[in-house]
Amino acid sequence: MSMNTTVSDGWFKRRMMRLTRGEKRFVNTPANAERIARVAASLLERVTLPPEPRCLEIGCGQGAVTRLLVERYGARVVASDYDPAQVALARERLADLDQVEVRSVDARAMPFDDAQFDGVFSFQVMHHIPGGWRQVVAETARVLKPGGWFVLTDLVVSPRAGRLVRRLLPLLDQLEETALHACLTEHGLRLTHYERGRGMLMGHCAAVARLNR
Ligand SMILES: C[S@@+](CC[C@H](N)C(=O)[O-])C[C@H]1O[C@@H](n2cnc3c(N)ncnc32)[C@H](O)[C@@H]1O
């Protein structure tokens, strides 16, 4: 059943989900597109996609992962983002690719039927959605076909820092490593690969999970 609900947010959540001007200057550069595509390519080596897979990129930014999916895997991709400015940019940068549909989508409430996609891709998105990343995981599991793949990178709070953040800001629910693993499992997403860079309090992680249904 589709869960295309309307989500109402306060100022803080909206602020967290929209990148600042400085973040956009960094995230939307050609150098960052190249870097993200390199990371995505190495994670995709751990995934077996069918021919012409149907894929969804959430929080696509300028669309670097979408381009890789089309050019290397012959994928048909829905590239989506919450921020209208990022949607407009992705539309412009991906205009040469017929297999891509760029849409404005809040990843917490995806306007897609169940079991539509062979792969869902999320690069550096969920740490922007404190209090909402669990919905993103639930929605991802819902729209994936049985055996479909969830490939993500993100900035996670370490378990130790997570305990501190929970004590100081109990309502924040920032993306935290053990909570992420538990949430993936809860929704039938089995981790087949996980790595996290060094960092006592926070670190970049990369994960590949497969829907066990
Ligand atoms: C750090 S940027 C990463 C962009 C791109 N994935 C990349 O790696 O270059 C985070 C992106 O997530 C998007 N975003 C934030 N909240 C979102 C939500 N609720 N649904 C979909 N996208 C969201 C932002 O607009 C932004 O484009």
Coordinates of all heavy atoms in Angstrom, one line a residue, residues 16-19 27 32 36 57-62 80-83 86 105-108 122-125 127-129 136, ligand 1:
M16 N 17.1 21.8 8.5 CA 18.1 20.7 8.4 C 18.0 20.1 7.0 O 19.0 19.6 6.5 CB 17.8 19.6 9.5 CG 18.2 19.9 10.9 SD 20.0 20.0 11.1 CE 20.4 18.2 10.9
M17 N 16.8 20.0 6.5 CA 16.6 19.3 5.2 C 17.1 20.1 4.0 O 17.5 19.6 3.0 CB 15.2 18.8 5.0 CG 14.8 17.7 6.0 SD 13.3 16.8 5.6 CE 12.1 18.1 5.7
R18 N 17.1 21.4 4.1 CA 17.5 22.3 3.0 C 19.0 22.6 3.3 O 19.4 23.0 4.3 CB 16.8 23.6 3.0 CG 15.3 23.5 2.7 CD 15.2 23.8 1.2 NE 13.9 23.4 0.7 CZ 12.8 24.2 0.7 NH1 13.0 25.4 1.0 NH2 11.6 23.7 0.3
L19 N 19.8 22.4 2.3 CA 21.3 22.7 2.4 C 21.4 24.2 2.5 O 20.6 25.0 1.9 CB 22.0 22.2 1.2 CG 22.0 20.7 0.9 CD1 22.9 20.4 -0.3 CD2 22.4 19.9 2.1
V27 N 28.5 20.9 -2.5 CA 27.9 19.6 -2.9 C 27.6 19.6 -4.5 O 27.7 18.5 -5.1 CB 26.5 19.5 -2.2 CG1 25.6 18.5 -2.9 CG2 26.7 19.0 -0.8
N32 N 32.8 17.3 -6.7 CA 32.0 16.4 -5.8 C 31.3 15.4 -6.6 O 31.1 14.2 -6.1 CB 31.1 17.3 -4.9 CG 30.5 16.4 -3.8 OD1 31.2 15.8 -3.1 ND2 29.2 16.5 -3.7
I36 N 31.6 11.4 -5.7 CA 30.4 10.6 -5.3 C 30.3 9.5 -6.3 O 30.0 8.3 -5.9 CB 29.1 11.5 -5.3 CG1 29.2 12.5 -4.2 CG2 27.9 10.6 -5.2 CD1 29.0 12.0 -2.8
E57 N 16.9 7.3 -7.0 CA 17.9 8.0 -6.2 C 17.1 9.0 -5.4 O 16.4 9.8 -5.9 CB 19.0 8.7 -7.0 CG 20.0 9.3 -6.1 CD 21.2 10.0 -6.8 OE1 21.2 10.2 -8.0 OE2 22.1 10.5 -6.0
I58 N 17.3 8.9 -4.0 CA 16.7 10.0 -3.2 C 17.8 11.0 -2.8 O 18.9 10.7 -2.7 CB 16.1 9.3 -1.9 CG1 17.1 8.6 -1.1 CG2 14.9 8.4 -2.3 CD1 16.5 8.0 0.2
G59 N 17.3 12.2 -2.6 CA 18.3 13.3 -2.3 C 19.4 13.4 -3.3 O 20.5 13.4 -3.0
C60 N 19.0 13.4 -4.6 CA 19.9 13.2 -5.7 C 20.9 14.4 -5.9 O 21.9 14.2 -6.5 CB 19.2 13.0 -7.0 SG 18.2 14.4 -7.6
G61 N 20.6 15.6 -5.3 CA 21.5 16.7 -5.5 C 21.6 17.0 -7.0 O 20.6 17.1 -7.7
Q62 N 22.8 17.0 -7.5 CA 23.0 17.3 -8.9 C 22.9 16.1 -9.8 O 22.9 16.1 -11.0 CB 24.4 18.0 -9.2 CG 25.6 17.1 -8.7 CD 26.9 17.8 -8.9 OE1 27.1 18.4 -9.9 NE2 27.8 17.7 -7.9
S80 N 15.4 12.0 -7.4 CA 14.4 12.8 -6.7 C 15.1 13.6 -5.6 O 16.2 13.2 -5.1 CB 13.4 11.9 -6.1 OG 13.9 11.0 -5.1
D81 N 14.6 14.7 -5.2 CA 15.1 15.5 -4.1 C 13.9 16.3 -3.5 O 12.9 16.5 -4.2 CB 16.2 16.5 -4.6 CG 17.1 16.9 -3.5 OD1 16.7 17.7 -2.7 OD2 18.3 16.4 -3.4
Y82 N 14.1 16.7 -2.3 CA 13.1 17.5 -1.5 C 13.2 19.0 -1.9 O 12.2 19.7 -1.9 CB 13.4 17.2 -0.1 CG 12.7 18.1 0.9 CD1 11.4 17.8 1.3 CD2 13.4 19.2 1.5 CE1 10.8 18.6 2.3 CE2 12.8 20.0 2.4 CZ 11.5 19.7 2.8 OH 10.9 20.5 3.7
D83 N 14.4 19.4 -2.2 CA 14.6 20.9 -2.4 C 14.4 21.3 -3.8 O 15.1 20.7 -4.7 CB 16.1 21.2 -2.0 CG 16.5 22.6 -2.1 OD1 15.8 23.4 -2.8 OD2 17.4 23.0 -1.4
Q86 N 17.4 22.0 -5.9 CA 18.2 20.8 -6.3 C 17.5 20.0 -7.4 O 18.2 19.5 -8.3 CB 18.4 19.9 -5.1 CG 19.3 20.5 -4.0 CD 20.7 20.8 -4.5 OE1 21.1 21.9 -4.8 NE2 21.5 19.8 -4.5
V105 N 10.5 14.9 -4.5 CA 9.9 13.9 -3.6 C 10.5 14.0 -2.2 O 11.7 14.2 -2.1 CB 10.3 12.4 -4.1 CG1 10.0 11.4 -3.1 CG2 9.6 12.1 -5.4
D106 N 9.7 14.0 -1.2 CA 10.2 13.9 0.2 C 10.4 12.4 0.5 O 9.4 11.6 0.4 CB 9.1 14.5 1.1 CG 9.6 14.5 2.6 OD1 10.5 13.7 2.9 OD2 9.0 15.2 3.4
A107 N 11.6 12.0 0.7 CA 11.9 10.6 0.9 C 11.2 9.9 2.1 O 11.2 8.7 2.2 CB 13.5 10.4 1.0
R108 N 10.6 10.7 3.0 CA 9.9 10.1 4.1 C 8.5 9.7 3.7 O 7.8 9.0 4.4 CB 9.8 11.2 5.2 CG 11.1 11.6 5.8 CD 10.9 12.8 6.7 NE 10.4 13.9 5.9 CZ 10.0 15.1 6.5 NH1 10.0 15.2 7.8 NH2 9.5 16.0 5.7
S122 N 21.0 6.3 -1.8 CA 20.9 7.5 -0.9 C 22.3 7.9 -0.5 O 22.9 7.2 0.2 CB 20.0 7.1 0.3 OG 20.1 8.1 1.3
F123 N 22.8 9.0 -1.0 CA 24.1 9.4 -0.7 C 24.1 10.7 0.1 O 23.7 11.7 -0.4 CB 24.9 9.6 -2.1 CG 25.4 8.2 -2.6 CD1 24.5 7.3 -3.0 CD2 26.7 7.9 -2.5 CE1 24.9 6.0 -3.4 CE2 27.2 6.6 -3.0 CZ 26.2 5.7 -3.4
Q124 N 24.5 10.6 1.3 CA 24.6 11.7 2.3 C 23.3 12.4 2.5 O 23.3 13.7 2.6 CB 25.7 12.7 1.7 CG 27.1 12.1 1.5 CD 27.7 11.5 2.7 OE1 27.8 10.3 2.9 NE2 28.2 12.4 3.6
V125 N 22.2 11.7 2.6 CA 20.9 12.3 2.7 C 20.3 12.2 4.1 O 19.9 13.2 4.7 CB 19.9 11.6 1.7 CG1 18.5 12.3 1.8 CG2 20.4 11.8 0.3
H127 N 21.3 12.0 7.2 CA 21.7 12.8 8.4 C 21.1 14.2 8.3 O 21.1 14.9 9.3 CB 23.3 12.9 8.5 CG 23.9 13.7 7.5 ND1 24.2 13.2 6.2 CD2 24.3 15.0 7.5 CE1 24.8 14.1 5.5 NE2 24.9 15.2 6.2
H128 N 20.5 14.5 7.2 CA 19.8 15.8 7.1 C 18.4 15.7 7.6 O 17.6 16.6 7.5 CB 19.7 16.3 5.6 CG 21.0 16.9 5.1 ND1 21.4 18.2 5.5 CD2 22.0 16.4 4.4 CE1 22.6 18.4 4.9 NE2 23.0 17.4 4.3
I129 N 18.0 14.4 8.0 CA 16.6 14.2 8.3 C 16.5 13.6 9.7 O 16.0 12.5 9.9 CB 15.9 13.3 7.3 CG1 16.3 13.6 5.9 CG2 14.3 13.4 7.4 CD1 15.7 12.7 4.8
V136 N 12.4 7.1 6.1 CA 13.1 6.9 4.8 C 13.5 5.4 4.7 O 13.2 4.8 3.6 CB 14.4 7.8 4.7 CG1 15.1 7.5 3.4 CG2 14.0 9.2 4.9
Ligands
LIG1 C1 24.4 16.5 1.3 S1 23.3 16.6 0.0 C2 23.7 15.2 -1.0 C3 23.3 15.3 -2.4 C4 23.8 14.1 -3.3 N1 23.2 12.9 -2.9 C5 25.3 14.0 -3.3 O1 25.8 13.1 -2.7 O2 25.9 14.9 -3.9 C6 21.7 16.0 0.7 C7 20.6 16.1 -0.2 O3 19.4 15.5 0.5 C8 18.3 16.3 0.1 N2 17.2 16.1 1.1 C9 17.2 16.5 2.4 N3 16.0 16.1 3.0 C10 15.4 15.3 2.1 C11 14.2 14.6 2.1 N4 13.4 14.6 3.2 N5 13.8 13.9 1.0 C12 14.6 13.9 -0.1 N6 15.7 14.6 -0.2 C13 16.2 15.3 0.9 C14 18.8 17.7 0.1 O4 18.0 18.6 -0.6 C15 20.2 17.5 -0.6 O5 20.1 17.6 -2.0

